[in-house]
Amino acid sequence: MAKVNKNPLILVIEDEAPIRRFLKMSLLDHGFAFSEASTGKEGLSKVASERPDLVILDLGLPDTDGLEVTRQVREWSNVPIIVLSAREKENDKVEALDAGADDYLVKPFGIGELMARLRVALRHANRLSDDQLDSNFSFGDIHIDFAKRQVLRNAEEIHLTPIEYKLLNTLVRYSGKVVTHKHLLRETWGGEYSDETQYLRVYMAQLRKKLELDPAQPKYLITEPGVGYRLKID
């Protein structure tokens, strides 16, 4: 079940200190707990370590674009994300929402509207079953740290290409379940590649070489003939 918290924790990822101070005062006044980060890297770390109930995110961060922060969070967490940004063009909003943001508010904004949207996002999150991944996941001797985007075997890092990582990420999100060829192709390469099953065979073979002790007889990355693949967990 989604966690219930008398004082939901709101993480603000924003590089402008005056805006962070204003949001801190407003959120505390409305009965929320508060945490803050001034960079994307710090924000990702706090999402993983503090498990906030909601994230308020600026797109114009000094070290990385907020869109990339959103995409990385969405690899392993369903935490609600409300974007606060000076970017007001329609395509900016669409891009943020497509990246995984739940809502988008243009600066300058009214605190009343922000609080209303925040409450809606929290109510929606509380209605959902808690199907998000933890920031860490293990099977066999493989350990994945989603916040750091690291895959380890017995504490030694294994290098995966971006495509291999996305493929493994999708299998982990549906661990124990059969994931069809079309679903894997769509999640990893995009909808236009949904019939290119040869891509899957090539990359699954590469993943098995890197993750399985015996790639010819995989213990975890299982083929479901004619259907897809499944990550078998202990």
Side-chain angles (χ1 to χ4, degrees):
M1 298 293 293
K3 62 181 174 180
V4 177
N5 193 329
K6 261 185 153 181
N7 300 99
L9 175 62
I10 311 300
L11 170 63
V12 173
I13 306 176
E14 163 67 65
D15 65 321
E16 295 186 44
I19 295 180
R20 291 201 309 274
R21 286 195 295 269
F22 170 69
L23 288 172
K24 179 178 182 178
M25 179 181 66
S26 301
L27 289 164
L28 293 176
D29 282 348
H30 283 79
F32 295 103
F34 177 84
S35 183
E36 63 185 300
S38 60
T39 66
K41 182 177 179 180
E42 183 186 11
L44 286 167
S45 176
K46 287 198 170 185
V47 172
S49 62
E50 298 181 358
R51 303 296 295 272
D53 294 275
L54 184 141
V55 174
I56 295 175
L57 173 67
D58 179 32
L59 295 184
L61 298 170
D63 59 336
T64 186
D65 193 88
L67 291 174
E68 180 58 25
V69 173
T70 301
R71 293 187 187 102
Q72 290 194 33
V73 169
R74 283 292 173 258
E75 291 179 352
W76 54 271
S77 175
N78 289 328
V79 62
I81 298 174
I82 296 179
V83 167
L84 292 183
S85 177
R87 304 175 193 174
E88 57 184 18
K89 293 181 180 179
E90 182 177 335
N91 64 312
D92 292 321
K93 298 178 184 179
V94 170
E95 195 172 5
L97 295 170
D98 282 345
D102 295 85
D103 205 347
Y104 193 107
L105 203 54
V106 176
K107 297 177 181 177
F109 56 90
I111 197 64
E113 183 178 7
L114 173 61
M115 292 300 155
R117 295 190 184 209
L118 187 152
R119 289 190 294 269
V120 168
L122 287 173
R123 283 199 301 270
H124 182 254
N126 285 333
R127 285 198 300 266
L128 297 175
S129 60
D130 189 13
D131 60 353
Q132 72 180 40
L133 296 173
D134 193 90
S135 58
N136 292 274
F137 186 91
S138 298
F139 61 94
D141 57 0
I142 302 297
H143 178 79
I144 307 167
D145 186 325
F146 289 103
K148 296 180 180 178
R149 299 170 69 86
Q150 285 184 330
V151 180
L152 309 170
R153 171 185 281 129
N154 297 325
E156 291 190 11
E157 186 168 3
I158 301 169
H159 173 71
L160 297 184
T161 67
I163 289 292
E164 290 167 352
Y165 182 82
K166 286 177 72 176
L167 183 57
L168 178 61
N169 181 279
T170 302
L171 289 167
V172 168
R173 282 192 284 120
Y174 298 97
S175 57
K177 300 180 180 179
V178 178
V179 188
T180 65
H181 296 132
K182 283 185 180 294
H183 191 110
L184 281 168
L185 286 161
R186 195 164 54 242
E187 292 270 328
T188 307
W189 285 275
E192 65 271 27
Y193 293 92
S194 60
D195 294 321
E196 304 292 342
T197 54
Q198 70 272 20
Y199 286 12
L200 275 179
R201 286 193 292 271
V202 170
Y203 280 92
M204 189 61 69
Q206 292 175 188
L207 261 185
R208 284 171 172 160
K209 286 180 182 177
K210 294 180 179 182
L211 303 182
E212 296 276 5
L213 293 177
D214 183 357
Q217 295 184 318
K219 184 177 179 183
Y220 301 105
L221 301 172
I222 307 299
T223 298
E224 298 290 344
V227 180
Y229 296 92
R230 174 170 55 93
L231 176 61
K232 185 179 180 182
I233 53 178
D234 297 333

